[in-house]
Amino acid sequence: MSEVVEAELGHLEHHEEEANDRTLFGFWVYLMTDLLMFSVLFACYAVLHGNINGGESGRQLFEMPLALAETLILLTSSFTCGIGMFMARQGKKTQTLFWFAITFILGLAFLTFEVREFAKFIGEGHSLHGSAFLSSFFVLVGTHGLHITSGLLWMGTTMAYTVRRGLTTHIVRKLSLLSLFWHFLDIVWIFIFTIVYLGAVAWPS
Amino acid sequence: MAELKPEHGTLQAYITGFVLSLIFTLIPYYLVVHHTFSGRALLITILGFGVLQMLVQLLFFLHIGRRPRPTWQIHFLNATVGAILVVVGGSIVITTNLHHNMMPTEQALKLVNDEGIYQVNGEKTGACQGQYPNHQIIIKDGVATPSFISAKQCDTLTYITQDGRPNDIVFTQDAKTASYAGVASYSVRKGQNQTITLSELGTYQFHDSAQPATAGSFTVSN
């Protein structure tokens, strides 16, 4: 009797693992193709950043303390997201929700800074249409911002699920993909910070 | 069962990763903002810190390469990084070469005029040779004076602005956007005049692209 139950349990676990592997594989394929897309946008920026069409260059435009603040906020959110995931694996629902809520707030703060920066540039007449440099800048950083926005929407809904249904295997899997996505966005931002912001000051075109 | 349970990184690992990522952000920021050193060396240094930062994220937060994570993940990542290096490196090399080696026809025409190359391999290029009279258009308070100039071919025309804001002079002919002497627009700033050789015949209107009131026209005849 107990052998049968054990065999069935083993069977179920095996299924669960397979499902996990498949989901992870699918999501990883998405992340890698997304990374390729970002790399093309980076290539565009690298090629076009000197074509400022008589306007201001990144060196004159960017506010470095703001870029640093954005980076620190996103790094911290990546950390709190990791802690949230750690708590989820331990089955601690309240703690999981707490850390993901902090991640959400930090993500929102990051997005607010970015939108304000964009609004400031456009208000000063440096819009998407100003020059090839500005076009590639807005597209690269804006695409990252859109990813953050969708990440926040995803985080909000998954947290609502967690509140209603608790930390089921299904939800823990969702959370683990979400944290994968969030860490991935952090990595992309690190390169935006390094190449776009630090690069503008370090390597004037 | 306990030892078979997937190990997904400890709190310790997250904290170490976080501290390292802060350090790897603040060091390049300090180096860049305080101009410790500059040029290619600085660029390579900050890129190096970017890569370190990425490795911290991959190892401490994503637990890449750590069991029981499947190994295909790291192979996939390596292949993607390879593709990225080809795409980004290739784009940069190709476009830099294009930029240096290709010159649009209109730029070539302007160069021919600017440098006074009136003959290439025994054939006339159409460039003007010798000294010709100069005409001046002065932009002050957004008004271009004189608003009309009649010139002979090969005369020169100089735009001078006395306004603080730069003027972006564009040309139209028969109400259509045109380029003059191979150039679509000239940027004129205070203290930075633009002189063009009137090598093309015809009547052209010009105006400031951002300030249509700053306008005028010129006719070039034989």
Side-chain angles (χ1 to χ4, degrees):
Chain A
M1 183 68 193
S2 73
E3 260 176 37
V4 174
V5 172
E6 244 172 49
E8 288 226 321
L9 272 177
H11 194 63
L12 267 176
E13 231 165 61
H14 185 67
H15 261 279
E16 200 56 55
E17 233 167 65
E18 249 185 22
N20 263 338
D21 274 359
R22 265 206 311 275
T23 323
L24 183 64
F25 180 74
F27 198 69
W28 198 254
V29 171
Y30 158 68
L31 284 185
M32 292 300 106
T33 46
D34 217 21
L35 200 57
L36 269 175
M37 184 199 68
F38 271 113
S39 76
V40 173
L41 295 180
F42 270 111
C44 277
Y45 181 82
V47 166
L48 297 174
H49 77 282
N51 302 0
I52 54 173
N53 192 21
E56 286 185 25
S57 67
R59 191 195 181 92
Q60 296 157 311
L61 218 52
F62 298 147
E63 281 177 46
M64 296 312 283
L66 182 73
L68 180 67
E70 284 178 297
T71 308
L72 294 180
I73 288 172
L74 212 57
L75 281 174
T76 312
S77 83
S78 194
F79 171 65
T80 56
C81 178
I83 301 287
M85 205 48 234
F86 179 77
M87 293 303 173
R89 290 221 164 83
Q90 311 255 315
K92 293 175 181 161
K93 185 179 158 186
T94 324
Q95 302 244 37
T96 307
L97 284 171
F98 172 75
W99 288 104
F100 272 100
I102 292 192
T103 312
F104 187 90
I105 292 166
L106 289 171
L108 210 57
F110 170 85
L111 206 59
T112 315
F113 274 127
E114 191 167 289
V115 168
R116 279 178 55 182
E117 187 189 30
F118 278 13
K120 182 173 161 279
F121 287 172
I122 293 169
E124 288 171 355
H126 311 292
S127 75
L128 188 71
H129 309 291
S131 65
F133 152 67
L134 286 168
S135 304
S136 57
F137 166 79
F138 275 107
V139 171
L140 172 60
V141 181
T143 305
H144 178 266
L146 277 180
H147 277 74
I148 291 280
T149 312
S150 49
L152 286 175
L153 287 175
W154 186 11
M155 204 181 288
T157 51
T158 315
M159 278 165 71
Y161 271 130
T162 314
V163 170
R164 283 176 53 187
R165 297 182 193 169
L167 289 169
T168 62
T169 328
H170 182 65
I171 285 181
V172 172
R173 186 158 68 214
K174 273 194 168 188
L175 284 173
S176 76
L177 296 185
L178 174 64
S179 76
L180 209 59
F181 184 63
W182 202 255
H183 295 315
F184 162 79
L185 289 184
D186 199 28
I187 293 177
V188 173
W189 178 262
I190 286 163
F191 283 101
I192 292 182
F193 175 66
T194 306
I195 294 171
V196 175
Y197 290 93
L198 292 183
V201 179
W203 189 255
S205 49
Chain B
M1 275 310 268
E3 65 270 17
L4 287 176
K5 219 179 159 195
E7 165 65 49
H8 279 284
T10 58
L11 270 183
Q12 187 76 45
Y14 282 116
I15 294 168
T16 315
F18 182 51
V19 172
L20 281 177
S21 67
L22 289 185
I23 294 172
F24 291 153
T25 304
L26 292 171
I27 294 177
Y29 182 81
Y30 180 86
L31 290 179
V32 165
V33 171
H34 293 271
H35 307 292
T36 325
F37 49 107
S38 61
R40 200 170 282 274
L42 181 59
L43 194 72
I44 290 169
T45 310
I46 60 170
L47 280 176
F49 275 106
V51 171
L52 274 179
Q53 181 84 275
M54 179 187 73
L55 290 177
V56 166
Q57 297 281 324
L58 287 176
L59 295 176
F60 290 92
F61 290 169
L62 291 174
H63 321 296
I64 293 292
R66 188 158 346 142
R67 279 158 192 267
R69 287 262 167 174
T71 44
W72 56 254
Q73 222 177 10
I74 197 160
H75 296 314
F76 204 155
L77 182 69
N78 285 338
T80 312
V81 170
I84 288 172
L85 290 179
V86 172
V87 169
V88 176
S91 304
I92 292 172
V93 169
I94 289 170
T95 41
T96 310
N97 273 314
L98 279 177
H99 194 72
H100 283 301
N101 296 332
M102 303 269 285
M103 198 183 277
T105 330
E106 50 186 40
Q107 292 288 332
L109 262 176
K110 182 175 173 3
L111 189 72
V112 155
N113 270 312
D114 284 353
E115 302 291 323
I117 306 168
Y118 57 93
Q119 217 177 15
V120 172
N121 291 338
E123 280 180 41
K124 289 231 157 75
T125 61
C128 300
Q129 185 190 6
Q131 290 289 318
Y132 292 90
N134 174 256
H135 306 268
Q136 288 188 342
I137 289 175
I138 297 171
I139 300 165
K140 195 179 178 196
D141 300 324
V143 179
T145 14
S147 62
F148 176 74
I149 278 179
S150 177
K152 294 275 176 209
Q153 191 175 25
C154 286
D155 288 1
T156 54
L157 175 63
T158 303
Y159 284 100
I160 302 165
T161 184
Q162 294 179 348
D163 293 348
R165 64 177 293 281
N167 295 106
D168 182 39
I169 305 291
V170 293
F171 302 95
T172 54
Q173 192 179 26
D174 303 328
K176 279 189 211 132
T177 308
S179 60
Y180 190 80
V183 180
S185 74
Y186 286 93
S187 181
V188 191
R189 285 163 188 272
K190 198 170 184 176
Q192 260 185 300
N193 305 336
Q194 277 288 359
T195 300
I196 57 181
T197 306
L198 301 174
S199 53
E200 278 181 45
L201 297 175
T203 300
Y204 288 83
Q205 287 78 41
F206 64 85
H207 66 270
D208 186 306
S209 65
Q211 202 170 294
T214 310
S217 62
F218 57 83
T219 294
V220 182
S221 56
N222 267 318

